[in-house]
Amino acid sequence: MEKERKPKNIFVQGSISPETIAKSIANHSTKTDIGGHSIFLGQVRADEKPEGKVLAIDYSAYEEMALEKAFEIREAIFAKYPLTCMHIYHSLGEVKVGELCLFVFTSSKHRKAAMDACDELVERIKAELPVWGKEILDTDNHVWKVNV
Amino acid sequence: MEKERKPKNIFVQGSISPETIAKSIANHSTKTDIGGHSIFLGQVRADEKPEGKVLAIDYSAYEEMALEKAFEIREAIFAKYPLTCMHIYHSLGEVKVGELCLFVFTSSKHRKAAMDACDELVERIKAELPVWGKEILDTDNHVWKVNV
Amino acid sequence: MPNTIHIKAFGMVAEKIGTTELVMDHYQDSEALLDALLVKFPALKTIKFSLAINKKLISNKQEIPENAEIALLPPFSGG
Amino acid sequence: MPNTIHIKAFGMVAEKIGTTELVMDHYQDSEALLDALLVKFPALKTIKFSLAINKKLISNKQEIPENAEIALLPPFSGG
């Protein structure tokens, strides 16, 4: 059970490695009331923009506000769904094309809660966390990422 | 792109390791048109039954039919959602409590397709694949798993 | 070997009838086969199962082709 | 130091105004502050941004408490 009642850090410097994800999954093998895990991973795309091709995204955040907001979202999702665990990791700094920048992980006894909670978490993270992605282009230009 | 037009094996002997999942995620870093991955993991629960406590599930399948059906589901989901990749792994044989028995992995340019496809895949796999779980109890008894 | 049906049994069905494979005389259709099975294995009356002919689930009465592969499938519980 | 406001700027806003932090005289409410900001940094007229007071997004006119931490936030694009 990880229903801590204080904000925890969600930010990691640089990309999120597949090994981090494996370790996080493995950590749940002792929680034998879990029947399903739902995971969402954001990966940086090599988008072609009119200004150039994306090579990486440089993430920045209003960290204090983002952590408060993440805590608020976390509490709301725990109140809404019967979850066992919830983990959120978001990159700061540079994440190259093909690397992972977001890792959202929910676990519950029955699959539906984990799946629905994961979907809702991702939507809320993208809409409500004060985080910005600067897309670094192969033309030495950059454009500010826009979430759709 | 993995839109192969023939059934591929989805069955693995025993539990699915977190390292297998990490490797599968890492394999997608070269696919730079992917923006989101959705993953569902099934984990064996230590359920308390009237007949005893679950220690493991022993999975069996009508393999040839399951692979045909999985292929049919795979094709239908690829036709319905704009996916880049889709992977399904299901355990056969014994999987202990806390270990993983199902790994469903979808990837797409924009997150919504991967998430919706993953949810639908999991529902269809549970409802339509001829696979059976025998729950091994700590009383030397067993009960046949029932999907709800 | 003509005029026979190969039958596979899975999960709780295999447990009830005590075997995972059997060969029976050919029956014209699924209803006739089901009747014969329930006579041969009365325990099957106590559980829910479906029939697949050549790896396709059937819901209504259906012809059984020569040398068909029949499977007796209890409710699925994968995942 | 009373009667000042600490302002943080992020993303495209920081880029437009050329700094990530500034201190300004205190203004009574968010509208007065916004007017002053647009006079000081006309480039802000060309982009969309929101105001946060003490880490809370505001949508309507709001009082600015003493020593408030104000943030200028372009549309979020995390994930």
Side-chain angles (χ1 to χ4, degrees):
Chain A
M1 299 287 174
E2 309 203 19
K3 293 196 187 184
E4 297 174 13
R5 296 298 162 191
K6 58 185 177 63
K8 35 189 241 177
N9 191 24
I10 64 166
F11 291 113
V12 297
Q13 207 56 42
S15 69
I16 298 158
S17 73
E19 292 71 35
T20 300
I21 297 162
K23 205 176 289 177
S24 190
I25 293 168
N27 282 343
H28 291 74
S29 65
T30 53
K31 303 192 176 180
T32 57
D33 53 339
I34 292 175
H37 304 286
S38 197
I39 292 175
F40 178 81
L41 303 172
Q43 180 167 306
V44 175
R45 272 199 321 267
D47 275 357
E48 302 273 0
K49 310 264 166 174
E51 300 87 349
K53 187 174 171 180
V54 174
L55 297 179
I57 296 181
D58 186 11
Y59 285 102
S60 57
Y62 183 8
E63 290 188 50
E64 304 90 330
M65 179 176 161
L67 294 183
E68 278 189 14
K69 194 51 152 175
F71 179 62
E72 183 190 316
I73 294 171
R74 188 180 160 80
E75 294 292 294
I77 300 277
F78 260 129
K80 183 167 173 184
Y81 300 97
L83 297 180
T84 311
C85 291
M86 185 194 310
H87 303 276
I88 302 169
Y89 299 96
H90 196 297
S91 293
L92 286 183
E94 191 173 293
V95 182
K96 293 193 178 61
V97 150
E99 293 183 333
L100 303 172
C101 55
L102 175 63
F103 171 27
V104 176
F105 186 9
T106 53
S107 309
S108 56
K109 186 170 184 188
H110 300 287
R111 68 187 178 284
K112 199 87 186 101
M115 292 167 120
D116 292 349
C118 188
D119 287 11
E120 191 168 328
L121 259 175
V122 172
E123 297 308 317
R124 292 196 63 177
I125 287 166
K126 293 202 168 233
E128 299 177 41
L129 291 196
V131 175
W132 299 275
K134 184 162 91 173
E135 295 176 312
I136 313 293
L137 306 177
D138 61 355
T139 51
D140 281 342
N141 274 336
H142 68 260
V143 290
W144 290 93
K145 186 169 172 267
V146 176
N147 278 357
V148 283
Chain B
M1 299 288 176
E2 308 203 21
K3 292 195 187 184
E4 296 174 15
R5 296 298 161 193
K6 58 186 177 63
K8 35 189 242 175
N9 192 22
I10 64 165
F11 291 114
V12 297
Q13 206 57 40
S15 69
I16 298 158
S17 72
E19 293 69 37
T20 300
I21 297 162
K23 205 177 289 179
S24 191
I25 293 168
N27 282 342
H28 290 75
S29 66
T30 52
K31 303 193 176 179
T32 57
D33 53 338
I34 292 176
H37 305 285
S38 198
I39 292 174
F40 178 80
L41 303 172
Q43 182 169 304
V44 174
R45 271 197 322 266
D47 275 358
E48 303 273 0
K49 309 264 166 172
E51 299 88 350
K53 187 174 170 179
V54 174
L55 297 179
I57 296 181
D58 186 10
Y59 285 102
S60 58
Y62 184 7
E63 291 188 50
E64 305 89 330
M65 181 176 159
L67 295 184
E68 278 188 14
K69 195 49 153 176
F71 179 63
E72 183 189 317
I73 294 171
R74 188 180 160 80
E75 294 292 295
I77 300 277
F78 260 129
K80 184 168 173 185
Y81 300 98
L83 297 180
T84 312
C85 292
M86 185 194 310
H87 303 276
I88 303 169
Y89 299 95
H90 195 299
S91 294
L92 286 183
E94 192 174 293
V95 181
K96 293 194 177 61
V97 151
E99 293 183 332
L100 303 173
C101 55
L102 176 62
F103 171 28
V104 176
F105 187 9
T106 53
S107 310
S108 56
K109 186 170 183 186
H110 299 287
R111 68 186 178 284
K112 199 85 187 102
M115 292 167 120
D116 292 349
C118 188
D119 288 11
E120 190 168 328
L121 259 175
V122 172
E123 297 309 317
R124 293 196 63 177
I125 286 166
K126 292 202 169 233
E128 299 176 41
L129 291 196
V131 175
W132 299 275
K134 184 162 91 171
E135 295 176 312
I136 312 296
L137 307 177
D138 60 356
T139 51
D140 282 342
N141 273 336
H142 69 259
V143 290
W144 289 94
K145 185 170 174 264
V146 176
N147 278 357
V148 282
Chain C
M1 198 159 94
N3 297 325
T4 61
I5 311 178
H6 295 262
I7 300 178
K8 290 170 183 267
F10 295 92
M12 191 190 271
V13 171
E15 195 173 271
K16 285 283 178 195
I17 69 176
T19 183
T20 58
E21 304 233 12
L22 67 152
V23 177
M24 282 177 64
D25 289 339
H26 188 268
Y27 287 87
Q28 201 54 38
D29 59 57
S30 51
E31 269 181 19
L33 174 64
L34 264 177
D35 290 345
L37 281 168
L38 293 176
V39 168
K40 197 174 164 86
F41 306 106
L44 286 181
K45 287 178 194 154
T46 64
I47 59 170
K48 240 182 97 179
F49 66 97
S50 306
L51 259 181
I53 302 180
N54 291 333
K55 306 190 193 76
K56 299 288 174 207
L57 269 187
I58 63 160
S59 37
N60 300 315
K61 176 171 160 176
Q62 236 175 69
E63 294 283 299
I64 299 181
E66 289 260 312
N67 295 310
E69 178 176 297
I70 306 285
L72 309 180
L73 311 175
F76 306 158
S77 57
Chain D
M1 196 160 94
N3 296 324
T4 60
I5 312 176
H6 294 262
I7 300 177
K8 290 170 183 267
F10 293 91
M12 192 191 270
V13 172
E15 194 173 271
K16 285 283 180 195
I17 69 175
T19 183
T20 58
E21 304 234 11
L22 68 153
V23 178
M24 280 176 68
D25 290 338
H26 188 270
Y27 287 86
Q28 199 55 37
D29 60 54
S30 54
E31 269 183 17
L33 174 64
L34 264 178
D35 289 345
L37 281 168
L38 293 176
V39 169
K40 200 173 162 85
F41 304 107
L44 286 180
K45 288 178 192 153
T46 63
I47 59 169
K48 242 183 96 178
F49 66 97
S50 306
L51 259 181
I53 301 180
N54 291 332
K55 305 189 192 78
K56 298 288 172 207
L57 268 188
I58 63 161
S59 36
N60 300 316
K61 177 172 160 176
Q62 239 176 66
E63 293 284 298
I64 299 180
E66 288 260 312
N67 295 311
E69 180 175 296
I70 305 287
L72 309 180
L73 312 175
F76 306 158
S77 57

